[in-house]
Structure formats: C-alpha cells, structure tokens
Amino acid sequence: QVQLVESGGGLVQPGGSLRLSCAVSGSIFGIRTMAWYRQAPGKQRELVAKITNGGATNYADSVKGRFTISRDSGENTVYLQMNSLKHEDTADYYCNARVKVFNTWGDYWGQGTQVTVSS
C-alpha cells in the first residue's frame, strides 16, 4: 500500500508564495517521475510540473518562471515552490508519483490540497 500526503495549501494574496509538499510512504521499492497536477472548478485536471528521478523537470507554460518543482529522494518527498501567484492559479493541487510496489509499477495520487489566490 502506498500513501501520498500533500500539505502546504492555503489562502494567499496575488503576488504571494506558497510551498506545497508531498510525502510518499508505504511498501515502496522505487519511485520514478513525481508530479503536481491541478484542477480548477469546472476544468479538467492539468499537469503543472513533473520531475524525473534523474532531476529533469518539465513545466506547464502557464507556470514557467514562477513555479519550481524539486524532490528529496532520500525522503521520498516532492515539493512545489509557487511564487508570483495569480488568481488563475486557484485550484486543488494533486501530487502524483510513479511507484514500484514489489515488482509492479503504478501511478498513485494524493488527496489534494487547496490553493486559493485572492485579495
């Protein structure tokens, strides 16, 4: 069994910053790509950023230059530093990880953390 637990969401003013964290725990035999997705009300879930186990990163155009994804492989944790937040960044943010449990790779999701950007 694998658990992804996010933290760090909340209410922030436009231009402000937040740091999201996601800790992966359980019967883990390996982790490949870790990622953050978000889903705004009435919209589809979209990829925000992802990072491979080699450290390569990829970002949605809408967050490039403002968000930074990083990971602590020793702690099985992924972070999302969000700066210069805008109203349109308001969404539920979900952590995703490609995890090996015994001999099987699978995609796992966190429960989501809400980010609200409002003055």
Side-chain angles (χ1 to χ4, degrees), residues 7-112:
S7 61
L11 173 64
V12 63
Q13 292 186 341
S17 298
L18 282 175
R19 189 190 194 211
L20 305 183
S21 301
C22 172
V24 184
S25 63
S27 302
I28 301 167
F29 285 71
I31 302 178
R32 287 178 177 166
T33 301
M34 305 179 81
W36 288 95
Y37 287 74
R38 67 185 180 187
Q39 187 167 18
K43 295 188 177 181
Q44 289 188 332
R45 189 173 296 189
E46 62 174 357
L47 175 67
V48 176
K50 62 181 179 181
I51 183 168
T52 69
N53 53 359
T57 58
N58 196 8
Y59 296 90
D61 288 341
S62 59
V63 307
K64 282 180 181 176
R66 300 188 297 122
F67 291 10
T68 302
I69 189 170
S70 61
R71 66 191 285 174
D72 182 336
S73 296
E75 297 294 328
N76 293 333
T77 301
V78 64
Y79 305 95
L80 186 68
Q81 178 67 43
M82 305 186 294
N83 298 328
S84 303
L85 283 160
K86 304 176 180 180
H87 290 289
E88 51 264 42
D89 295 318
T90 295
D92 291 325
Y93 284 71
Y94 297 89
C95 176
N96 168 269
R98 183 80 172 161
V99 180
K100 185 178 183 181
V101 178
F102 297 106
N103 291 322
T104 303
W105 288 96
D107 283 317
Y108 294 85
W109 292 87
Q111 80 287 352

